[in-house]
Amino acid sequence: ETGVTQTPRHLVMGMTNKKSLKCEQHLGHNAMYWYKQSAKKPLELMFVYNFKEQTENNSVPSRFSPECPNSSHLFLHLHTLQPEDSALYLCASSPRIYFQETQYFGPGTRLLVL
Amino acid sequence: AQTVTQSQPEMSVQEAETVTLSCTYDTSESDYYLFWYKQPPSRQMILVIRQEAYKQQNATENRFSVNFQKAAKSFSLKISDSQLGDAAMYFCAYKASGTYKYIFGTGTRLKVLA
């Protein structure tokens, strides 16, 4: 379970705060993903990076800002969030994006917006 | 648009018994991949089993097997000899060949009774 790590594991923030989520993968993968997981809803793909280049921005509000400085690290910068943004945020990686490889997930960051 | 439906929000099984989790999907593609992921409480989501649509033979991984019915667009997961460690949320996922987007279902919570 150490292939993909995420920090922090839990985060409570006010609507005016600015915080960042960090994801790191130690698998040598070239693709990284951010998902939002809310109760009783399917995983919602937010962003996809392939070789550090953003491939997908799934109509995510601008209060979520991703950053991928290299293929091993992925950040999600948060600012002026809303209570409905409270969820589990999952990071995942895969060797490539267009093939059938398995995605490897991190443990997630449980975010609560007050 | 592709969709994945898991109609059983929660299932229970007695330890050592067999349980089947249902998944149906909708797609017009002929080449795609199907996955079952397991998410234990507060732990990382991991791949349980996957199936390539072009393969007629059902995939098996130890106690886990699938019943893939391509014409019916059905992809159920059978867990034999259920163990307490099998208790988790199970997610069915679909990915069309040549795309990077995984489509997830809403999940089925499996409880294993001692």
Side-chain angles (χ1 to χ4, degrees):
Chain A
E1 295 186 352
T2 58
V4 181
T5 59
Q6 289 186 245
T7 55
R9 294 292 305 273
H10 301 272
L11 179 63
V12 180
M13 60 186 290
M15 290 191 286
T16 58
N17 291 159
K18 288 186 180 180
K19 296 286 184 183
S20 295
L21 310 185
K22 179 183 176 182
C23 174
E24 184 173 1
Q25 58 97 357
H26 310 271
L27 301 169
H29 291 169
N30 295 309
M32 297 188 77
Y33 312 75
W34 278 118
Y35 286 92
K36 176 183 179 182
Q37 184 178 18
S38 304
K40 300 182 180 180
K41 294 176 68 175
L43 265 68
E44 182 181 334
L45 180 65
M46 301 175 71
F47 301 103
V48 179
Y49 278 83
N50 187 36
F51 290 97
K52 303 189 302 177
E53 298 298 319
Q54 189 176 106
T55 304
E56 169 84 7
N57 176 345
N58 195 23
S59 302
V60 179
S62 59
R63 57 185 183 268
F64 295 91
S65 176
E67 178 189 0
C68 188
N70 54 61
S71 292
S72 298
H73 294 86
L74 186 64
F75 295 89
L76 188 62
H77 303 299
L78 316 171
H79 61 98
T80 60
L81 294 191
Q82 304 298 311
E84 59 264 30
D85 297 322
S86 299
L88 181 67
Y89 288 85
L90 295 173
C91 174
S93 71
S94 65
R96 298 169 293 180
I97 65 170
Y98 291 113
F99 298 85
Q100 73 274 26
E101 291 99 344
T102 301
Q103 286 189 319
Y104 292 79
F105 286 85
T109 294
R110 176 73 61 187
L111 173 66
L112 177 61
V113 181
L114 301 176
Chain B
Q2 295 97 347
T3 58
V4 174
T5 301
Q6 293 180 252
S7 59
Q8 306 153 316
E10 192 170 294
M11 294 280 286
S12 295
V13 63
Q14 207 68 34
E15 200 175 3
E17 297 295 308
T18 296
V19 65
T20 298
L21 308 184
S22 301
C23 174
T24 58
Y25 58 94
D26 187 25
T27 184
S28 57
E29 302 289 336
S30 59
D31 192 12
Y32 51 86
Y33 308 95
L34 297 164
F35 308 82
W36 277 100
Y37 281 90
K38 170 186 178 182
Q39 187 178 40
S42 301
R43 294 181 64 188
Q44 280 159 276
M45 193 176 304
I46 58 172
L47 179 72
V48 175
I49 198 167
R50 75 179 192 192
Q51 174 83 41
E52 289 84 355
Y54 62 85
K55 289 186 178 179
Q56 293 188 339
Q57 187 171 7
N58 289 325
T60 61
E61 286 287 343
N62 300 314
R63 297 182 295 106
F64 299 87
S65 61
V66 299
N67 183 5
F68 173 48
Q69 301 289 327
K70 191 171 184 179
K73 297 180 183 175
S74 170
F75 183 61
S76 59
L77 174 69
K78 186 171 84 171
I79 306 174
S80 304
D81 186 25
S82 297
Q83 300 175 359
L84 295 177
D86 295 332
M89 281 290 289
Y90 286 82
F91 292 93
C92 179
Y94 161 98
K95 181 176 183 291
S97 178
T99 71
Y100 53 78
K101 190 171 288 189
Y102 293 76
I103 310 297
F104 285 82
T106 51
T108 296
R109 181 174 302 280
L110 178 66
K111 295 183 177 180
V112 181
L113 308 173

